[in-house]
Amino acid sequence: MSPRSLGELLSRGAFALGMSSGFFGFYAHAGVLLALEEAGLEPARLAGSSAGALVAGLWAGGVPAQVIADELLALERADFWDPAPGPGLLRGALFRRRLERLLPAARFEDCRAPLALSAFDLGARRTVVLDRGDLASAICASCAFPLLLQPVRRDGRWLADGGIADRPGLAGLRTRTGEPVLYHHLASRSPWRRRGSPALRIPQRADLVALQIPGLPRPHPFRLEAGRAALRVAYQAAQRALERPVAPVIEAAAA
């Protein structure tokens, strides 16, 4: 019998969770994850890019969704703002130390669920999937947004934001027969993305259900209050989405 709702589909067995890139969209990702966790729906494996890598990586690394949300709601610019000379405004040392303090798991191998993060190899000019070794450096690499955060040296390679060439963050998430994939898609308004770019499209693949939340507030480093609002909007919208019929794309707004 076909499931009557997204929540019923996800409750039937293991499911995967994918989270897209989207600058400071990690607030919205955290709201979606919090709604899932409160409904007793925990992903069996996760994948993400940039903003999605941050939230997926923290949760897989053992940080409960409520703690992720609390950390983001309390976040101030001074907590990660460390300008330094280099190919990016911020060194990223404060960001990495904060991750290392939060993460119970130091390595991918210690995560509570398999995790695959996308990053961009600047030398090879291609997406690489990070799924083993040091966890904090992998999250930092996937989040190294060009011109904002400096690239990360990992295993002899200079890595930058995973959203450069894998905006959905699904490169490391292989389809498994009968396992649904819930994918949270952050719509982009980035001026460097040309209209109609394939990077902006919601991916289509077997068993994938995409959740898109219209009208999310748009946070940035000087507008973190919009991120706090986005977290609350996404949390309420995800709760509503779990009650919706299953479809390739579910659009849900807050109540």
Side-chain angles (χ1 to χ4, degrees), residues 67-236:
V67 174
I68 297 172
D70 291 343
E71 285 285 331
L72 293 179
L73 290 172
L75 186 68
E76 300 292 344
R77 185 159 53 92
D79 294 330
F80 60 87
W81 202 254
D82 57 353
L89 176 61
L90 305 181
R91 186 189 305 275
L94 287 179
F95 176 39
R96 178 158 179 173
R97 285 202 293 269
R98 197 171 184 88
L99 284 178
E100 291 173 340
R101 176 179 63 81
L102 279 172
L103 284 165
R107 299 173 61 82
F108 280 85
E109 293 81 357
D110 302 323
C111 286
R112 59 172 157 178
L115 172 69
L117 306 180
S118 296
F120 186 75
D121 187 320
L122 292 170
R125 299 189 63 79
R126 63 180 178 86
T127 295
V128 292
V129 175
L130 309 177
D131 58 5
R132 56 180 59 87
D134 184 77
L135 180 57
S137 68
I139 296 173
C140 288
S142 187
C143 292
F145 191 83
L147 302 182
L148 179 64
L149 282 162
Q150 295 177 10
V152 173
R153 184 81 167 172
R154 191 175 190 273
D155 297 332
R157 300 177 296 182
W158 285 107
L159 303 179
D161 192 285
I164 293 173
D166 180 26
R167 190 168 186 280
L170 299 176
L173 196 63
R174 296 178 178 84
T175 300
R176 294 181 179 176
T177 303
E179 180 190 69
V181 176
L182 176 62
Y183 164 66
H184 184 213
H185 178 79
L186 293 169
S188 174
R189 299 176 195 165
S190 303
W192 54 86
R193 300 281 191 189
R194 70 182 187 277
R195 187 180 295 275
S197 167
L200 303 181
R201 298 175 193 156
I202 295 177
Q204 297 180 345
R205 52 191 282 182
D207 298 323
L208 185 144
V209 176
L211 170 61
Q212 181 169 252
I213 302 169
L216 282 169
R218 309 295 291 191
H220 57 67
F222 295 90
R223 195 166 175 254
L224 296 181
E225 70 278 3
R228 299 173 191 122
L231 193 154
R232 297 183 183 99
V233 168
Y235 169 71
Q236 293 172 0

